PDB file of all heavy atoms in Angstrom:
ATOM      1  N   THR A 802     153.962  48.629  83.354  1.00 71.00           N
ATOM      2  CA  THR A 802     152.874  48.689  82.397  1.00 71.00           C
ATOM      3  C   THR A 802     153.380  48.548  81.005  1.00 71.00           C
ATOM      4  O   THR A 802     154.516  48.741  80.710  1.00 71.00           O
ATOM      5  CB  THR A 802     152.090  50.106  82.525  1.00 71.00           C
ATOM      6  OG1 THR A 802     153.051  51.119  82.268  1.00 71.00           O
ATOM      7  CG2 THR A 802     151.578  50.283  83.950  1.00 71.00           C
ATOM      8  N   GLU A 803     152.448  48.120  80.143  1.00 75.00           N
ATOM      9  CA  GLU A 803     152.782  47.871  78.738  1.00 75.00           C
ATOM     10  C   GLU A 803     152.965  49.148  78.041  1.00 75.00           C
ATOM     11  O   GLU A 803     152.342  50.096  78.244  1.00 75.00           O
ATOM     12  CB  GLU A 803     151.827  46.964  78.082  1.00 75.00           C
ATOM     13  CG  GLU A 803     151.744  45.575  78.602  1.00 75.00           C
ATOM     14  CD  GLU A 803     150.745  44.748  77.903  1.00 75.00           C
ATOM     15  OE1 GLU A 803     150.638  44.894  76.697  1.00 75.00           O
ATOM     16  OE2 GLU A 803     150.138  43.921  78.572  1.00 75.00           O
ATOM     17  N   GLY A 804     153.927  49.152  77.075  1.00 76.00           N
ATOM     18  CA  GLY A 804     154.036  50.228  76.165  1.00 76.00           C
ATOM     19  C   GLY A 804     154.862  51.447  76.669  1.00 76.00           C
ATOM     20  O   GLY A 804     155.348  51.441  77.780  1.00 76.00           O
ATOM     21  N   ALA A 805     154.957  52.329  75.846  1.00 79.00           N
ATOM     22  CA  ALA A 805     155.744  53.636  76.179  1.00 79.00           C
ATOM     23  C   ALA A 805     154.922  54.578  76.921  1.00 79.00           C
ATOM     24  O   ALA A 805     153.611  54.664  76.829  1.00 79.00           O
ATOM     25  CB  ALA A 805     156.334  54.264  75.003  1.00 79.00           C
ATOM     26  N   SER A 806     155.523  55.437  77.651  1.00 81.00           N
ATOM     27  CA  SER A 806     154.864  56.532  78.281  1.00 81.00           C
ATOM     28  C   SER A 806     155.405  57.898  77.699  1.00 81.00           C
ATOM     29  O   SER A 806     156.652  58.075  77.624  1.00 81.00           O
ATOM     30  CB  SER A 806     155.174  56.571  79.811  1.00 81.00           C
ATOM     31  OG  SER A 806     154.703  57.694  80.429  1.00 81.00           O
ATOM     32  N   TRP A 807     154.565  58.653  77.120  1.00 89.00           N
ATOM     33  CA  TRP A 807     154.971  59.836  76.395  1.00 89.00           C
ATOM     34  C   TRP A 807     154.760  61.048  77.303  1.00 89.00           C
ATOM     35  O   TRP A 807     153.829  61.131  77.989  1.00 89.00           O
ATOM     36  CB  TRP A 807     154.189  59.993  75.106  1.00 89.00           C
ATOM     37  CG  TRP A 807     154.467  58.930  74.135  1.00 89.00           C
ATOM     38  CD1 TRP A 807     153.728  57.736  73.986  1.00 89.00           C
ATOM     39  CD2 TRP A 807     155.600  58.791  73.239  1.00 89.00           C
ATOM     40  NE1 TRP A 807     154.357  56.990  73.018  1.00 89.00           N
ATOM     41  CE2 TRP A 807     155.401  57.545  72.620  1.00 89.00           C
ATOM     42  CE3 TRP A 807     156.616  59.656  72.966  1.00 89.00           C
ATOM     43  CZ2 TRP A 807     156.362  57.178  71.635  1.00 89.00           C
ATOM     44  CZ3 TRP A 807     157.499  59.256  72.016  1.00 89.00           C
ATOM     45  CH2 TRP A 807     157.400  58.004  71.353  1.00 89.00           C
ATOM     46  N   ASN A 808     155.700  61.928  77.217  1.00 94.00           N
ATOM     47  CA  ASN A 808     155.626  63.237  78.064  1.00 94.00           C
ATOM     48  C   ASN A 808     155.937  64.380  77.108  1.00 94.00           C
ATOM     49  O   ASN A 808     156.807  64.294  76.366  1.00 94.00           O
ATOM     50  CB  ASN A 808     156.650  63.136  79.132  1.00 94.00           C
ATOM     51  CG  ASN A 808     156.309  62.143  80.243  1.00 94.00           C
ATOM     52  OD1 ASN A 808     155.517  62.369  81.066  1.00 94.00           O
ATOM     53  ND2 ASN A 808     156.997  61.017  80.207  1.00 94.00           N
ATOM     54  N   ARG A 809     155.189  65.412  77.274  1.00 96.00           N
ATOM     55  CA  ARG A 809     155.549  66.656  76.684  1.00 96.00           C
ATOM     56  C   ARG A 809     156.547  67.339  77.588  1.00 96.00           C
ATOM     57  O   ARG A 809     156.281  67.481  78.807  1.00 96.00           O
ATOM     58  CB  ARG A 809     154.343  67.553  76.446  1.00 96.00           C
ATOM     59  CG  ARG A 809     153.397  66.980  75.362  1.00 96.00           C
ATOM     60  CD  ARG A 809     152.364  67.966  75.030  1.00 96.00           C
ATOM     61  NE  ARG A 809     152.993  68.925  74.156  1.00 96.00           N
ATOM     62  CZ  ARG A 809     152.321  70.016  73.702  1.00 96.00           C
ATOM     63  NH1 ARG A 809     151.081  70.224  74.058  1.00 96.00           N
ATOM     64  NH2 ARG A 809     152.996  70.838  72.866  1.00 96.00           N
ATOM     65  N   CYS A 810     157.703  67.810  77.042  1.00 97.00           N
ATOM     66  CA  CYS A 810     158.755  68.398  77.937  1.00 97.00           C
ATOM     67  C   CYS A 810     159.104  69.791  77.444  1.00 97.00           C
ATOM     68  O   CYS A 810     159.055  70.102  76.252  1.00 97.00           O
ATOM     69  CB  CYS A 810     160.005  67.493  77.739  1.00 97.00           C
ATOM     70  SG  CYS A 810     159.724  65.745  78.205  1.00 97.00           S
ATOM     71  N   ALA A 811     159.522  70.557  78.444  1.00 97.00           N
ATOM     72  CA  ALA A 811     160.147  71.878  78.152  1.00 97.00           C
ATOM     73  C   ALA A 811     161.453  71.853  78.967  1.00 97.00           C
ATOM     74  O   ALA A 811     161.446  71.992  80.221  1.00 97.00           O
ATOM     75  CB  ALA A 811     159.197  73.010  78.583  1.00 97.00           C
ATOM     76  N   LEU A 812     162.569  71.665  78.273  1.00 94.00           N
ATOM     77  CA  LEU A 812     163.849  71.448  78.961  1.00 94.00           C
ATOM     78  C   LEU A 812     164.690  72.709  79.061  1.00 94.00           C
ATOM     79  O   LEU A 812     165.883  72.540  79.465  1.00 94.00           O
ATOM     80  CB  LEU A 812     164.521  70.354  78.262  1.00 94.00           C
ATOM     81  CG  LEU A 812     163.847  68.901  78.347  1.00 94.00           C
ATOM     82  CD1 LEU A 812     164.668  67.891  77.553  1.00 94.00           C
ATOM     83  CD2 LEU A 812     163.527  68.514  79.698  1.00 94.00           C
ATOM     84  N   GLN A 813     164.094  73.836  78.884  1.00 94.00           N
ATOM     85  CA  GLN A 813     164.916  75.038  79.196  1.00 94.00           C
ATOM     86  C   GLN A 813     163.922  76.122  79.576  1.00 94.00           C
ATOM     87  O   GLN A 813     163.581  77.080  78.902  1.00 94.00           O
ATOM     88  CB  GLN A 813     165.691  75.524  77.999  1.00 94.00           C
ATOM     89  CG  GLN A 813     166.686  76.636  78.323  1.00 94.00           C
ATOM     90  CD  GLN A 813     167.543  77.025  77.234  1.00 94.00           C
ATOM     91  OE1 GLN A 813     167.409  76.629  76.109  1.00 94.00           O
ATOM     92  NE2 GLN A 813     168.558  77.853  77.494  1.00 94.00           N
ATOM     93  N   VAL A 814     163.426  76.028  80.856  1.00 96.00           N
ATOM     94  CA  VAL A 814     162.532  77.003  81.474  1.00 96.00           C
ATOM     95  C   VAL A 814     163.352  77.929  82.336  1.00 96.00           C
ATOM     96  O   VAL A 814     164.024  77.457  83.275  1.00 96.00           O
ATOM     97  CB  VAL A 814     161.397  76.202  82.224  1.00 96.00           C
ATOM     98  CG1 VAL A 814     160.466  77.235  82.864  1.00 96.00           C
ATOM     99  CG2 VAL A 814     160.594  75.329  81.272  1.00 96.00           C
ATOM    100  N   ASN A 815     163.300  79.147  82.029  1.00 93.00           N
ATOM    101  CA  ASN A 815     164.094  80.073  82.811  1.00 93.00           C
ATOM    102  C   ASN A 815     163.374  80.662  84.021  1.00 93.00           C
ATOM    103  O   ASN A 815     162.161  80.983  83.846  1.00 93.00           O
ATOM    104  CB  ASN A 815     164.538  81.267  81.902  1.00 93.00           C
ATOM    105  CG  ASN A 815     165.471  80.898  80.842  1.00 93.00           C
ATOM    106  OD1 ASN A 815     165.177  81.103  79.659  1.00 93.00           O
ATOM    107  ND2 ASN A 815     166.588  80.266  81.174  1.00 93.00           N
ATOM    108  N   PRO A 816     164.032  80.772  85.157  1.00 95.00           N
ATOM    109  CA  PRO A 816     163.419  81.366  86.338  1.00 95.00           C
ATOM    110  C   PRO A 816     163.310  82.920  86.216  1.00 95.00           C
ATOM    111  O   PRO A 816     163.883  83.485  85.307  1.00 95.00           O
ATOM    112  CB  PRO A 816     164.346  80.974  87.456  1.00 95.00           C
ATOM    113  CG  PRO A 816     165.671  80.851  86.791  1.00 95.00           C
ATOM    114  CD  PRO A 816     165.377  80.321  85.456  1.00 95.00           C
ATOM    115  N   PHE A 817     162.529  83.513  87.058  1.00 93.00           N
ATOM    116  CA  PHE A 817     162.300  84.922  87.126  1.00 93.00           C
ATOM    117  C   PHE A 817     163.640  85.752  87.150  1.00 93.00           C
ATOM    118  O   PHE A 817     163.752  86.661  86.459  1.00 93.00           O
ATOM    119  CB  PHE A 817     161.452  85.307  88.284  1.00 93.00           C
ATOM    120  CG  PHE A 817     161.030  86.718  88.319  1.00 93.00           C
ATOM    121  CD1 PHE A 817     160.067  87.225  87.435  1.00 93.00           C
ATOM    122  CD2 PHE A 817     161.615  87.649  89.215  1.00 93.00           C
ATOM    123  CE1 PHE A 817     159.684  88.583  87.492  1.00 93.00           C
ATOM    124  CE2 PHE A 817     161.201  88.891  89.279  1.00 93.00           C
ATOM    125  CZ  PHE A 817     160.237  89.429  88.425  1.00 93.00           C
ATOM    126  N   SER A 818     164.548  85.321  87.895  1.00 90.00           N
ATOM    127  CA  SER A 818     165.841  85.924  88.005  1.00 90.00           C
ATOM    128  C   SER A 818     166.555  86.081  86.731  1.00 90.00           C
ATOM    129  O   SER A 818     167.340  86.978  86.510  1.00 90.00           O
ATOM    130  CB  SER A 818     166.704  85.350  89.111  1.00 90.00           C
ATOM    131  OG  SER A 818     167.035  84.067  88.694  1.00 90.00           O
ATOM    132  N   TYR A 819     166.347  85.092  85.744  1.00 89.00           N
ATOM    133  CA  TYR A 819     167.007  85.230  84.520  1.00 89.00           C
ATOM    134  C   TYR A 819     166.499  86.403  83.749  1.00 89.00           C
ATOM    135  O   TYR A 819     167.279  87.141  83.128  1.00 89.00           O
ATOM    136  CB  TYR A 819     166.649  83.922  83.682  1.00 89.00           C
ATOM    137  CG  TYR A 819     167.035  84.039  82.272  1.00 89.00           C
ATOM    138  CD1 TYR A 819     168.338  83.718  81.770  1.00 89.00           C
ATOM    139  CD2 TYR A 819     166.157  84.438  81.259  1.00 89.00           C
ATOM    140  CE1 TYR A 819     168.688  83.928  80.470  1.00 89.00           C
ATOM    141  CE2 TYR A 819     166.480  84.575  79.917  1.00 89.00           C
ATOM    142  CZ  TYR A 819     167.774  84.344  79.518  1.00 89.00           C
ATOM    143  OH  TYR A 819     168.111  84.445  78.256  1.00 89.00           O
ATOM    144  N   LEU A 820     165.206  86.667  83.827  1.00 84.00           N
ATOM    145  CA  LEU A 820     164.681  87.862  83.227  1.00 84.00           C
ATOM    146  C   LEU A 820     165.277  89.159  83.698  1.00 84.00           C
ATOM    147  O   LEU A 820     165.742  90.014  82.871  1.00 84.00           O
ATOM    148  CB  LEU A 820     163.148  87.954  83.383  1.00 84.00           C
ATOM    149  CG  LEU A 820     162.352  86.764  82.827  1.00 84.00           C
ATOM    150  CD1 LEU A 820     160.826  86.910  83.206  1.00 84.00           C
ATOM    151  CD2 LEU A 820     162.448  86.531  81.423  1.00 84.00           C
ATOM    152  N   GLU A 821     165.346  89.220  85.035  1.00 82.00           N
ATOM    153  CA  GLU A 821     165.888  90.424  85.555  1.00 82.00           C
ATOM    154  C   GLU A 821     167.400  90.617  85.233  1.00 82.00           C
ATOM    155  O   GLU A 821     167.820  91.692  84.950  1.00 82.00           O
ATOM    156  CB  GLU A 821     165.836  90.369  87.191  1.00 82.00           C
ATOM    157  CG  GLU A 821     164.378  90.439  87.605  1.00 82.00           C
ATOM    158  CD  GLU A 821     164.243  90.335  89.095  1.00 82.00           C
ATOM    159  OE1 GLU A 821     164.910  89.380  89.721  1.00 82.00           O
ATOM    160  OE2 GLU A 821     163.559  91.202  89.699  1.00 82.00           O
ATOM    161  N   ALA A 822     168.149  89.566  85.337  1.00 83.00           N
ATOM    162  CA  ALA A 822     169.574  89.580  85.026  1.00 83.00           C
ATOM    163  C   ALA A 822     169.959  89.907  83.583  1.00 83.00           C
ATOM    164  O   ALA A 822     170.999  90.386  83.296  1.00 83.00           O
ATOM    165  CB  ALA A 822     170.252  88.261  85.497  1.00 83.00           C
ATOM    166  N   ASN A 823     169.018  89.596  82.702  1.00 80.00           N
ATOM    167  CA  ASN A 823     169.244  89.789  81.259  1.00 80.00           C
ATOM    168  C   ASN A 823     168.478  90.859  80.679  1.00 80.00           C
ATOM    169  O   ASN A 823     168.306  90.959  79.401  1.00 80.00           O
ATOM    170  CB  ASN A 823     169.093  88.476  80.546  1.00 80.00           C
ATOM    171  CG  ASN A 823     170.071  87.488  80.858  1.00 80.00           C
ATOM    172  OD1 ASN A 823     171.221  87.558  80.384  1.00 80.00           O
ATOM    173  ND2 ASN A 823     169.777  86.538  81.787  1.00 80.00           N
ATOM    174  N   GLY A 824     167.955  91.847  81.490  1.00 80.00           N
ATOM    175  CA  GLY A 824     167.324  93.047  81.002  1.00 80.00           C
ATOM    176  C   GLY A 824     166.008  92.753  80.275  1.00 80.00           C
ATOM    177  O   GLY A 824     165.517  93.621  79.544  1.00 80.00           O
ATOM    178  N   LYS A 825     165.341  91.681  80.625  1.00 78.00           N
ATOM    179  CA  LYS A 825     164.027  91.372  80.049  1.00 78.00           C
ATOM    180  C   LYS A 825     162.952  92.060  80.828  1.00 78.00           C
ATOM    181  O   LYS A 825     163.117  92.159  82.038  1.00 78.00           O
ATOM    182  CB  LYS A 825     163.761  89.788  80.017  1.00 78.00           C
ATOM    183  CG  LYS A 825     164.868  89.017  79.365  1.00 78.00           C
ATOM    184  CD  LYS A 825     164.958  89.282  77.902  1.00 78.00           C
ATOM    185  CE  LYS A 825     166.069  88.293  77.312  1.00 78.00           C
ATOM    186  NZ  LYS A 825     166.371  88.552  75.944  1.00 78.00           N
ATOM    187  N   SER A 826     161.913  92.505  80.196  1.00 77.00           N
ATOM    188  CA  SER A 826     160.895  93.227  80.886  1.00 77.00           C
ATOM    189  C   SER A 826     160.053  92.313  81.840  1.00 77.00           C
ATOM    190  O   SER A 826     159.726  91.227  81.440  1.00 77.00           O
ATOM    191  CB  SER A 826     159.892  93.842  79.844  1.00 77.00           C
ATOM    192  OG  SER A 826     158.794  94.383  80.547  1.00 77.00           O
ATOM    193  N   THR A 827     159.988  92.720  83.074  1.00 74.00           N
ATOM    194  CA  THR A 827     159.104  91.935  84.009  1.00 74.00           C
ATOM    195  C   THR A 827     157.878  92.781  84.393  1.00 74.00           C
ATOM    196  O   THR A 827     157.117  92.334  85.235  1.00 74.00           O
ATOM    197  CB  THR A 827     159.928  91.590  85.240  1.00 74.00           C
ATOM    198  OG1 THR A 827     160.356  92.886  85.889  1.00 74.00           O
ATOM    199  CG2 THR A 827     161.173  90.734  84.967  1.00 74.00           C
TER     200      THR A 827
END
């Protein structure tokens, strides 16, 4: 297809276990 394709990205999404392991409130 012609032209660029733009995407909104989030390149550092942490999983639930990250919260638990780092003392974040769940």
Side-chain angles (χ1 to χ4, degrees):
T802 59
E803 292 183 35
S806 174
W807 296 95
N808 293 279
R809 290 190 78 183
C810 304
L812 298 178
Q813 190 174 10
V814 177
N815 295 123
F817 185 75
S818 61
Y819 170 84
L820 301 177
E821 293 179 314
N823 290 283
K825 309 290 183 188
S826 175
T827 60

